[in-house]
Amino acid sequence: MKKHRGKPIVQISDPNIEKYALEATTPESENIKELIASSDNELEYIDMLSGNLVGQLLKMLIRISGAKRVLEIGTFTGYSAIMMAEALPDDGEIITIEMNLRYQELAEKHFKKYDQEQRITLIKGNARQEIPKIPGTFDLVFLDADKLGYSEYYKMCVDKMRSNGILVADNVLWDGTVLRPEDDKSHALDAFNKMVAQDEQVEQVLLPVRDGVNLIRKK
Ligand SMILES: C[S@@+](CC[C@H](N)C(=O)[O-])C[C@H]1O[C@@H](n2cnc3c(N)ncnc32)[C@H](O)[C@@H]1O
């Protein structure tokens, strides 16, 4: 478990189950393996990568829903953007937003190398200012930026989703700390999950996969 999040309350899934699930899941492509190694080499920490269980879930959702236009909030070094690009049809596109300069630089390098079809557009800036400026509607939104902003980003994005569009919010169980929120992030994520549960525009299922994924469909 990650130390930077403070005290974990419960283990969301047994590490042996997680290992077994990963072994039984379609493996990452060679490009993705290289991207992970390159990120690790440059930064020496890659715990912000969403990982293969979430990555393959995103790919699966894109393929079965036929999503063509995807918005990602929180690029990091480009892992999930490249994963999703691998599942997009030829005329698909991903817009991904990142505000950290170092991560922008690494993501740009990875997109140049692994997104030869140029399906990914990186917006360099703060999602709070950038989301309202993006025109059009999205088939799928992957919400994976700062946890304090989840409710705000959700409200900005839900209006930009088509009917039957999907929003995937990562880390919504936050090492189980949402059970007894003590710090700002666990309070914010608990409030987010409760707000979504009350929102009549959507239906949702909170999956205890990895660090918790809230899978939300706009009606
Ligand atoms: C968990 S990481 C994203 C991981 C990435 N989706 C992946 O799976 O590889 C969160 C990222 O969101 C970025 N971020 C946080 N707040 C942001 C904001 N307000 N606008 C844009 N990016 C933000 C951080 O700099 C960080 O790179």
Side-chain angles (χ1 to χ4, degrees):
M1 279 200 191
K2 297 163 193 75
K3 293 194 188 88
H4 67 279
R5 294 185 186 174
K7 207 170 36 170
I9 298 212
V10 291
Q11 206 144 36
I12 294 164
S13 73
D14 183 293
N16 292 316
I17 294 288
E18 184 111 358
K19 183 167 175 283
Y20 186 90
L22 278 166
E23 283 166 6
T25 296
T26 303
E28 287 145 333
S29 66
E30 288 310 311
N31 281 352
I32 286 288
K33 286 179 186 156
E34 274 181 39
L35 181 149
I36 295 171
S38 155
S39 308
D40 201 11
N41 198 32
E42 299 272 0
L43 296 171
E44 294 179 354
Y45 59 88
I46 49 166
D47 62 347
M48 283 203 276
L49 288 179
S50 46
N52 200 33
L53 290 185
V54 174
Q56 293 295 348
L57 177 64
L58 289 167
K59 288 180 93 161
M60 191 74 81
L61 289 168
I62 288 173
R63 288 201 207 276
I64 61 182
S65 70
K68 286 189 176 175
R69 194 155 190 259
V70 174
L71 173 66
E72 174 178 68
I73 309 166
T75 317
F76 190 44
T77 61
Y79 172 88
S80 43
I82 296 284
M83 283 288 260
M84 292 191 286
E86 289 179 345
L88 275 184
D90 289 346
D91 57 347
E93 68 159 332
I94 297 177
I95 295 174
T96 181
I97 312 176
E98 176 57 56
M99 64 184 237
N100 177 292
L101 298 181
R102 180 80 178 110
Y103 303 157
Q104 288 170 1
E105 196 184 302
L106 289 171
E108 237 170 5
K109 179 176 111 177
H110 292 146
F111 295 157
K112 202 171 274 178
K113 191 161 179 197
Y114 304 118
D115 177 37
Q116 309 249 315
E117 300 81 8
Q118 300 185 323
R119 293 192 187 129
I120 305 174
T121 303
L122 173 66
I123 297 183
K124 299 173 180 179
N126 189 319
R128 286 183 170 79
Q129 280 86 53
E130 299 301 330
I131 298 170
K133 294 188 212 160
I134 305 172
T137 55
F138 288 95
D139 304 316
L140 187 138
V141 176
F142 181 42
L143 176 47
D144 196 21
D146 64 296
K147 309 310 160 193
L148 296 178
Y150 266 36
S151 294
E152 198 181 334
Y153 301 137
Y154 172 84
K155 286 179 199 153
M156 288 176 179
C157 288
V158 81
D159 289 342
K160 291 184 180 285
M161 287 162 60
R162 67 159 164 87
S163 171
N164 262 331
I166 304 163
L167 188 145
V168 182
D170 199 13
N171 307 108
V172 296
L173 294 175
W174 206 238
D175 278 342
T177 57
V178 290
L179 292 182
R180 283 199 304 279
E182 285 177 1
D183 62 304
D184 288 353
K185 289 182 182 169
S186 44
H187 273 293
L189 287 165
D190 178 44
F192 167 75
N193 291 325
K194 288 180 172 148
M195 180 195 69
V196 171
Q198 296 296 318
D199 186 353
E200 299 206 336
Q201 301 175 87
V202 296
E203 58 183 17
Q204 67 287 332
V205 52
L206 200 164
L207 304 171
V209 172
R210 208 187 59 117
D211 198 26
V213 173
N214 205 336
L215 193 54
I216 302 161
R217 183 188 76 90
K218 186 168 174 180
K219 290 180 192 164

